Amino acid sequence: MDATPAISELVKAVRDGFDSGRTRSLRWRLQQLDGLRAFLVERGPELERALRDDLAKNPTESQLTEIGVVLAEVSHTISRLRSWLRPRPVAVPLALAPASASVILEPLGVVLIISPWNYPLQLLLSPLVGALAAGNAVVLKPSELAPATSAVIARFLPRYLDDRSVVVIEGGVAETTELLAERFDHIFYTGNARVARIVSAAAAKNLTPVTLELGGKSPVYVDDTVDIVAAAKRIAWGKFLNAGQTCVAPDYVLATPDVAGRLVEALRGAIASLYGEDPRRTTDFGRIATDAQFDRLSALVSGRTAAIGGGSDEAERYIEPTVLTDVDRTDDVMAQEIFGPILPIVTVTGLDDAIAYIRSGDKPLALYAFTNDKTARRRLLTETSSGAVGFGVTVAHLSVPGLPFGGVGESGSGSYHGRRSVETFSHEKAVLSKPLRPDTLGLVYPPYTPKRASFIRGLLRRLS
Ligand code: NAD
C-alpha cells in the first residue's frame, strides 16, 4: 500500500493549519522567515549541488541569482514586516465625521505556489517569503524539470518550517492538475503562458485570484549615443546568464545597421571576456535544462550562419553563446520566446521603426534601452508597454526590492517582491468605525421631507 497521503489530504491538512489561526501572529511569520533563512544557509551546499545537477549552474551564480536573492528578500521582509502590517489610516469625508477609517492586511488563507525549472529555487521560495510574511498557509509545487532542486527542497525545507502549515508537493503535470482541482485562496504561478491559461481556468472555477508571472520576448534597443562596448557587456551578461534561460533575459536587439555592425564586434569581445575563448570549457556558463528545450533551440540555429557562435553539443546540452544577424522579422527565432543563449539582432531604420515593431508584438516582461538620448528614453517609456524598463542595464531591476516585479498582458498579471509580495498575498480589508452618538447619519435618513431633501442636495453639491 502507498503510504503517501493523497494530494487532497495534504491540502486539507494545510487548510486545517490555517484555520487553527496559528499562521496569523507576527511571531509565527517571523519564525517561518527565520526558518527559511536557516534552510538557505545550512542547506546551501546541497542546494548548490542540486542546481549544478539540474542546470550546470556555477555555485557562485547559484548564490548570486538563487540563494542570495531569497536571503535578501527574507532580510528585507523581516526588518520591515512589523511596520508593513500596521493598519494604514485613511481620511474620512467630512460628511461622515466623526469616524475613523483604516486598511488592514489580512491573510488570504491557503496559497498555492507553482514554479518553473529555470530558477527553480528562487522562483519557488521568493514568493514563499511574501506568502508566509502575509500569514498564509502554503502549498509549494516545485518544477519536475529541475528534479534535483525539487528533491532537496522537498526533503529538507519542511524541517525548517511549520509543517502543519507549509507542504511541498513534488510531481509533474498529473500532480499539478490534481492540485488545481483543489480550492485555494490564491494561486501564484510562474511559467509559460500556455499553462497559465490552464491555471487561470482552474482558478476561475472557485473564483480564486491568481498572480501570473510569465515570459515573452524582451527587446533591447541600442543607438549610437552610448558606449557600444559597455552596452554589449551588459547585454551579453543578461543574455547568457543561466545559458539564456532567464525570463527577463534580453530576447533580441533592435538597432540600425551601423550600430548593429559595431555591436556584433563588441558582443564578441564581451562574450570572450565573460566566458573565455571557448565557453564550453568554463564552469561559469550553464547548460540547457532538458532535451526538449535543447532540440527547440537547435532548430532555431540550424541551417543559419551565426555571426558569433552557433555551435552545440547534444550530449552535454551545450549551446554556444550565439549571435544571429541578417534576421528577418518573420523568422522562427522572432516568433517565439527564445529562452536560450541565442541573440538575434534585428535591424531597424530608427526609433520610430523600433517602437512600431515592439508595439506590434505582445507586451514584454522587460524592455531594455541603451541610449543617452532623452527623447528616445521618454518615447520608449511612454509609447511602449512592458512589465519593467531598464535603461543602461539588463535583468538587475528584479533585485531592487522596492520595485514591483511582474508582467503586463501576455507577460503576466500581478506582481511581487518586498512589500508588494505581502500585499499580493493579503486581502486589503477596509475598516470604518463610527460612534453611535452623535447620530450624524440621522441627517440623511428617510423620510425625505422637503427640508431634508434640500439639505441632502446641498450637501451633495458641496461634496461634488
Ligand atoms: P515548467 O515546464 O517547469 O512549468 C511550470 C510549472 O507548471 C511546473 O510546476 C509544472 O509542473 C506545471 N505544469 C506544466 N504543464 C502543466 C499542465 N499541462 N497543467 C498543469 N500544470 C502544468 O516551466 P516553463 O513553463 O517551461 O517555464 C518557462 C517559462 O516561464 C518561460 O516562458 C519563462 O519566460 C517563464 N518564466 C517567467 C518568470 C517570471 O518571473 N515572470 C520566471 C521564470 C520563467
Side-chain angles (χ1 to χ4, degrees):
M1 265 214 10
D2 186 0
T4 314
I7 282 178
S8 58
E9 283 171 39
L10 292 169
V11 175
K12 182 177 178 311
V14 166
R15 184 163 292 283
D16 289 345
F18 179 76
D19 288 343
S20 74
R22 54 194 298 112
T23 68
R24 287 171 180 264
S25 71
L26 179 62
R27 190 157 166 262
W28 181 90
R29 303 181 196 199
L30 292 173
Q31 275 169 353
Q32 304 315 302
L33 296 176
D34 277 336
L36 182 53
R37 175 151 60 191
F39 165 75
L40 292 164
V41 172
E42 290 171 22
R43 299 298 167 183
E46 284 98 329
L47 291 167
E48 285 175 12
R49 265 198 300 280
L51 290 161
R52 194 197 55 207
D53 290 350
D54 286 332
L55 290 145
K57 274 194 206 202
N58 181 289
T60 304
E61 193 167 302
S62 292
Q63 285 294 339
L64 189 72
T65 66
E66 301 248 27
I67 300 167
V69 171
V70 187
L71 279 172
E73 184 81 5
V74 168
S75 299
H76 182 81
T77 305
I78 286 179
S79 61
R80 291 164 179 79
L81 187 57
R82 184 183 292 275
S83 104
W84 291 345
L85 294 178
R86 277 193 200 113
R88 178 167 54 87
V90 170
V92 176
L94 211 54
L96 267 183
S100 65
S102 61
V103 178
I104 61 169
L105 295 182
E106 174 180 88
L108 289 171
V110 182
V111 167
L112 171 63
I113 298 174
I114 305 175
S115 70
W117 48 266
N118 61 328
Y119 287 85
L121 179 89
Q122 188 213 132
L123 297 173
L124 187 74
L125 301 188
S126 180
L128 176 67
V129 175
L132 293 171
N136 296 285
V138 186
V139 176
L140 291 167
K141 165 62 186 67
S143 175
E144 69 278 19
L145 300 179
T149 310
S150 173
V152 172
I153 292 171
R155 179 164 174 216
F156 294 114
L157 184 64
R159 300 184 195 176
Y160 290 83
L161 300 178
D162 170 9
D163 62 5
R164 281 177 284 182
S165 311
V166 182
V167 66
V168 182
I169 298 184
E170 289 192 272
V173 175
E175 287 76 9
T176 316
T177 306
E178 214 178 319
L179 270 172
L180 288 172
E182 298 291 319
R183 186 178 71 77
F184 292 94
D185 299 292
H186 192 96
I187 300 177
F188 187 102
Y189 167 81
T190 305
N192 68 69
R194 181 185 63 80
V195 175
R197 287 173 165 81
I198 298 173
V199 171
S200 291
K205 293 211 171 92
N206 292 308
L207 293 181
T208 299
V210 291
T211 301
L212 303 174
E213 297 283 340
L214 314 179
K217 292 185 81 62
S218 297
V220 186
Y221 173 76
V222 187
D223 72 15
D224 60 3
T225 62
V226 290
D227 175 345
I228 299 282
V229 170
K233 193 92 176 250
R234 295 262 165 103
I235 297 168
W237 171 71
K239 178 69 190 187
F240 300 115
L241 185 72
N242 200 25
Q245 302 163 109
T246 303
C247 56
V248 285
D251 189 273
Y252 64 95
V253 174
L254 295 172
T256 57
D258 167 53
V259 172
R262 288 161 54 211
L263 189 62
V264 170
E265 288 323 305
L267 283 167
R268 196 186 306 283
I271 293 167
S273 85
L274 293 170
Y275 304 112
E277 288 305 324
D278 183 2
R280 186 177 177 165
R281 292 166 56 164
T282 169
T283 56
D284 297 348
F285 183 69
R287 297 295 184 266
I288 304 306
T290 63
D291 290 338
Q293 290 289 337
F294 178 86
D295 293 344
R296 181 183 63 79
L297 290 164
S298 303
L300 295 179
V301 191
S302 103
R304 305 187 74 116
T305 309
I308 302 173
S312 62
D313 179 352
E314 192 173 357
E316 278 186 43
R317 292 198 300 267
Y318 166 75
I319 294 188
E320 195 176 359
T322 295
V323 176
L324 301 176
T325 49
D326 300 324
V327 178
D328 195 272
R329 297 178 187 198
T330 57
D331 283 358
D332 273 1
V333 78
M334 293 309 293
Q336 57 181 282
E337 179 183 7
I338 297 170
F339 219 55
I342 302 167
L343 182 67
I345 300 182
V346 178
T347 53
V348 289
T349 53
L351 183 63
D352 286 341
D353 192 18
I355 289 177
Y357 182 72
I358 294 165
R359 289 174 63 115
S360 70
D362 291 325
K363 293 178 179 177
L365 188 55
L367 178 147
Y368 304 114
F370 290 85
T371 173
N372 286 323
D373 176 346
K374 280 199 184 121
T375 307
R377 284 184 174 215
R378 181 184 48 75
R379 288 194 57 200
L380 284 162
L381 207 50
T382 56
E383 294 178 29
T384 69
S385 178
S386 56
V389 170
F391 288 124
V393 64
T394 63
V395 174
H397 58 282
L398 61 77
S399 62
V400 181
L403 286 178
F405 180 71
V408 53
E410 197 70 15
S411 58
S413 56
S415 58
Y416 71 127
H417 285 185
R419 182 181 197 148
R420 181 58 61 87
S421 286
V422 176
E423 290 163 357
T424 288
F425 290 110
S426 300
H427 165 57
E428 281 190 287
K429 185 146 87 179
V431 183
L432 175 67
S433 176
K434 183 168 169 58
L436 281 169
R437 298 270 175 260
D439 188 11
T440 53
L441 284 184
L443 298 169
V444 296
Y445 291 154
Y448 300 124
T449 58
K451 197 171 157 200
R452 187 160 295 176
S454 110
F455 167 78
I456 291 172
R457 283 165 194 273
L459 185 70
L460 292 174
R461 261 199 306 279
R462 273 204 299 283
L463 292 178
S464 59

